[in-house]
Amino acid sequence: MRIIVADNYEAMSKIAADNIQEVITEKNDAILGLATGSTPIGTYEELIKRYEEGKIDFSKIRTINLDEYIGLHPNHNQSYRYFMNEKLFNHININKENTYVPNGSAENIDEEAKNYDKIIENLGGIDIQILGIGNNGHIAFNEPDKALNVGTHVTSLAQNTIEANSRFFESLDDVPKKAVTMGIGQILKAKKILLLANGKNKAEAIKGILSGKITTDNPATMLQLHSDVTLIIDKEISDEIINCN
Ligand code: F6R
C-alpha cells in the first residue's frame, strides 16, 4: 500500500487528480470508478480545471459510480446522479451516456443491482477506483456488519452514516435509509484503488487500514488484500494517528 500524507485538502485533491490524469494519459478510454460525498469534490474541481487547460480529454472516458440512495429520482438534488452531473460531468467533455450511476428509483431495485455488476463486467473492469471512507470505515455503502457482500446489492445505511449524511438534507428524516451499492468484491476487482481521507474524524477508520488485520467491523480493512492501493490522507489524520500511538 502506498501512503501519501498531503499537507491539506487542496494538496490531497491535486495528488488524487495527478493519479487519475496519469491513468487517462495511459488509456484514453479508461474506466473511472467514482465516489460522491464531500471528500472527492476538490479532486473533481481539479480535474475540471485540467480539462479547461486542455490537459485532460474525457471524450472517450467511461465512469461508473459506487452507489446511489434508494428512493431518490436521478433529478433529486441530493441524488448521487445529480451530484455527479453538478460536480463533474456538466463541466467536462464526457459523453453522459458513458457515465453510470445506479438508478435508485428503479422499479426492481434488486434487478438494477444485478445489472450493475454486468455493466462493470461488460465495460471490462475498473481501471482506477476513487474511494472516500465513512467515519465507521464504510467504503461505498458497505457498512460494518457480520458479513460483507461481494457484488452490487441493496443495503441499509448505518445510523451514524444517516446522521453524518444529514448535513446535506433539510432534516434527519429526509435522509434515505437504504442505498444500492457496489460490494467489497467488486471494489477489490478494480485495477488500482485510490482512497482519499481528510479530517481527524476519519483517523480511527484509517488506522484499521494500516493495522495488518482484517475485520468486517471496519470494511475498509479489506483494502489490505489489494495489491495496488494508494492512500492519500491529510496531515490532520496522520497527526492524530501518531499522537494516539
Ligand atoms: C459515496 C460513498 C461513501 C463516502 C463516505 C465518505 O459515494 O461511497 O462511502 O465516500 O461516506 O463521505 P464524505 O466524503 O462526505 O465524508
Side-chain angles (χ1 to χ4, degrees), residues 12-59:
M12 178 190 81
S13 304
K14 282 194 178 148
I15 299 166
D18 289 345
N19 279 265
I20 299 165
Q21 183 174 352
E22 202 176 293
V23 169
I24 297 176
T25 305
E26 256 173 45
K27 188 177 172 191
N28 67 355
D29 62 348
I31 317 290
L32 311 181
L34 300 179
T36 58
S38 48
T39 308
I41 292 177
T43 305
Y44 297 152
E45 284 170 356
E46 190 59 34
L47 291 176
I48 293 167
K49 188 164 150 257
R50 293 178 194 196
Y51 158 70
E52 286 168 348
E53 291 166 355
K55 292 180 182 152
I56 307 183
D57 174 14
F58 289 91
S59 59

Side-chain angles (χ1 to χ4, degrees), residues 34-40 65-67 80 131-135 138-142 161 165 167-168 181 198 202:
L34 300 179
T36 58
S38 48
T39 308
N65 264 75
L66 286 169
D67 42 20
Y80 285 168
L131 295 176
I133 184 169
N135 301 344
H138 74 218
I139 47 176
F141 278 131
N142 294 280
T161 300
N165 289 7
R167 69 192 194 279
F168 301 115
T181 180
N198 64 294
K202 304 280 173 80

Side-chain angles (χ1 to χ4, degrees), residues 198-211:
N198 64 294
K200 63 176 175 215
N201 55 343
K202 304 280 173 80
E204 206 47 47
I206 295 295
K207 257 199 230 158
I209 306 182
L210 305 173
S211 67

